[in-house]
Amino acid sequence: MMDKVIVSDVVSLYDECKGNAIAIYGAKTVAQRACLYLENKGLEVDLFLVSKKYDNPEILMNKSVEKIEDNKNKAWDCVVLAVSSKYVLDAGKELEKYNIKKLVIISPLMDDDFPFNSCGGNIEISANSFLSLKTQIFADETSKIIIDDGVVIKDNVRITSTNNSIIHICKSAYIGNETVIGADENSKIEVKENVDIGKQSEINAVSNSKIACGDENIIGHNSIMFARESDISIGLHTTVGPYLYITCHKTKIEIGVDNMFSTNVRLCSGNHRVIDKKSGKDITNREKIRTGNHVWIGAGATLLAGSDIMENSIVGAAAVVTKRMEPFSACAGNPAKVIKRDIDWKR
């Protein structure tokens, strides 16, 4: 007689599995996360079990994947049923006909603890990444999420890709607690290698937009990036203090290589519409914002549509920039003006 146990937290999962030879039924994302958790706690997972009715790999996380129907006479000490909640009842009944001493079922309450693809979208998560047990990942059937080797994603992060969109988090990136990353309507977000995104940040691209964080960027906590029908790009080795705010509508924002932004920097281009009262025409300034390479932006500075900060320049604290600033210069004030020329700066 099979001993069936339902658990609702990962501590109970560990307690029920320890001391047993463990197999995991389900070769999708939930099963991989369950395997990683148990192995990180020092338990050994022998293999993955799957059903013939699913298209599954032969090897998963360097472990063999066996069709359960091919092992009708084999006995298992402990099988962990790790599938998304809508399949739990059907899969549980299916496993009753096999020789399993203990079946540990992750109840629907565990959906928040293990990321899973609930609508058949394409989610690729490297086995060499680390995702907190509170990570939530969702892609619809038209979209894709890729998480590469060495990525660390902390607690309560939510990543969503919908309506022909792609999110790619590249090798060794770090995503802080409670960060939200979302792409919708033919949009793409790329977090490149060794990027560090601070806690409680939001990155959203909608309506044919692209957001790219360059290699080795550091984005401070509580930062916001929002693109609608726009492109936002940040060059490599750029560091940004907390409370960055970037909003971009029907235009581009380009941040160069080796920039340094202090806290509370704002870049706003093409936000709400401005209408000429007499003609009724939309006269919103949607010029792009650009910073060249090796630019230093002081605390509380604002760059509005049309700002073009040339290379090796400094923007003073609380400055409001609306136009092109010379290379190797420092500007300050509202509106910002060049106050010093023929200068450079170092970190």
Side-chain angles (χ1 to χ4, degrees):
M1 184 71 179
M2 179 173 63
D3 180 17
K4 187 184 296 184
V5 180
I6 299 175
V7 299
S8 60
D9 60 80
V10 290
V11 175
S12 299
L13 175 65
Y14 169 77
D15 289 341
E16 293 295 340
C17 292
K18 64 184 179 183
N20 294 296
I22 305 165
I24 295 182
Y25 181 85
K28 298 296 183 183
T29 310
V30 184
Q32 293 181 63
R33 301 276 70 77
C35 179
L36 281 174
Y37 176 79
L38 293 173
E39 291 190 328
N40 286 338
K41 296 293 287 184
L43 302 185
E44 183 176 341
V45 175
D46 292 338
L47 53 84
F48 285 90
L49 297 171
V50 297
S51 171
K52 283 181 178 177
K53 60 188 175 184
Y54 303 117
D55 182 18
N56 288 289
E58 295 181 358
I59 299 292
L60 190 70
M61 298 175 64
N62 297 317
K63 301 180 189 301
S64 63
V65 177
E66 296 184 12
K67 299 287 191 296
I68 194 166
E69 296 92 340
D70 296 338
N71 294 274
K72 291 182 179 178
N73 298 320
K74 185 175 179 179
W76 289 281
D77 285 347
C78 178
V79 172
V80 176
L81 175 55
V83 296
S84 61
S85 60
K86 62 182 178 179
Y87 300 122
V88 165
L89 293 178
D90 290 343
K93 289 180 180 178
E94 180 179 333
L95 293 178
E96 288 178 356
K97 58 188 177 185
Y98 296 100
N99 190 2
I100 299 170
K101 294 179 182 178
K102 176 187 277 189
L103 179 65
V104 181
I105 300 172
I106 299 174
S107 80
L109 295 176
M110 295 292 285
D111 282 353
D112 287 340
D113 288 339
F114 293 104
F116 64 93
N117 170 9
S118 63
C119 287
N122 190 353
I123 297 177
E124 300 175 12
I125 301 176
S126 167
N128 296 318
S129 61
F130 174 81
L131 279 68
S132 163
L133 297 178
K134 292 293 183 180
T135 301
Q136 297 181 41
I137 298 176
F138 174 83
D140 68 18
E141 62 273 14
T142 68
S143 302
K144 191 170 187 177
I145 295 173
I146 304 168
I147 298 176
D148 289 346
D149 287 351
V151 170
V152 175
I153 299 180
K154 301 297 285 184
D155 291 344
N156 297 308
V157 170
R158 188 167 71 250
I159 302 173
T160 306
S161 182
T162 51
N163 297 312
N164 291 302
S165 297
I166 299 174
I167 296 175
H168 187 184
I169 301 178
C170 299
K171 185 177 178 181
S172 300
Y174 175 94
I175 312 297
N177 295 337
E178 300 179 25
T179 290
V180 175
I181 300 175
D184 187 31
E185 298 180 73
N186 303 296
S187 296
K188 181 177 181 179
I189 295 175
E190 186 172 21
V191 177
K192 295 188 178 180
E193 293 187 11
N194 297 298
V195 170
D196 186 325
I197 297 177
K199 65 181 181 179
Q200 297 179 329
S201 294
E202 295 184 22
I203 301 175
N204 288 290
V206 301
S207 303
N208 299 290
S209 295
K210 294 180 182 178
I211 297 178
C213 298
D215 292 347
E216 300 185 14
N217 286 171
I218 297 176
I219 310 296
H221 64 79
N222 294 91
S223 291
I224 294 174
M225 287 184 248
F226 178 79
R228 181 185 295 276
E229 300 177 73
S230 302
D231 292 349
I232 297 172
S233 63
I234 304 177
L236 57 86
H237 303 303
T238 287
T239 58
V240 176
Y243 300 100
L244 170 72
Y245 179 83
I246 297 178
T247 180
C248 190
H249 186 199
K250 293 186 177 180
T251 184
K252 292 183 179 181
I253 293 179
E254 299 174 359
I255 298 170
V257 172
D258 189 36
N259 278 212
M260 183 172 70
F261 288 16
S262 189
T263 186
N264 278 304
V265 171
R266 293 172 174 261
L267 291 80
C268 306
S269 185
N271 201 349
H272 298 295
R273 296 169 63 199
V274 179
I275 308 299
D276 181 80
K277 186 176 179 181
K278 291 183 179 179
S279 66
K281 292 183 178 179
D282 185 343
I283 58 172
T284 309
N285 185 354
R286 300 195 188 280
E287 293 180 85
K288 80 174 184 180
I289 296 173
R290 190 190 78 91
T291 68
N293 297 334
H294 194 61
V295 167
W296 177 9
I297 310 292
T302 299
L303 277 58
L304 298 177
S307 297
D308 188 1
I309 315 300
M310 304 300 285
E311 66 273 9
N312 301 85
S313 296
I314 302 171
V315 176
V320 178
V321 184
T322 60
K323 61 183 181 180
R324 182 179 182 274
M325 292 294 161
E326 302 171 19
F328 296 95
S329 70
C331 68
N334 180 7
K337 298 179 181 179
V338 173
I339 58 172
K340 191 171 288 188
R341 293 179 172 84
D342 298 320
I343 55 101
D344 203 348
W345 63 274
K346 293 182 179 180
R347 290 179 182 268

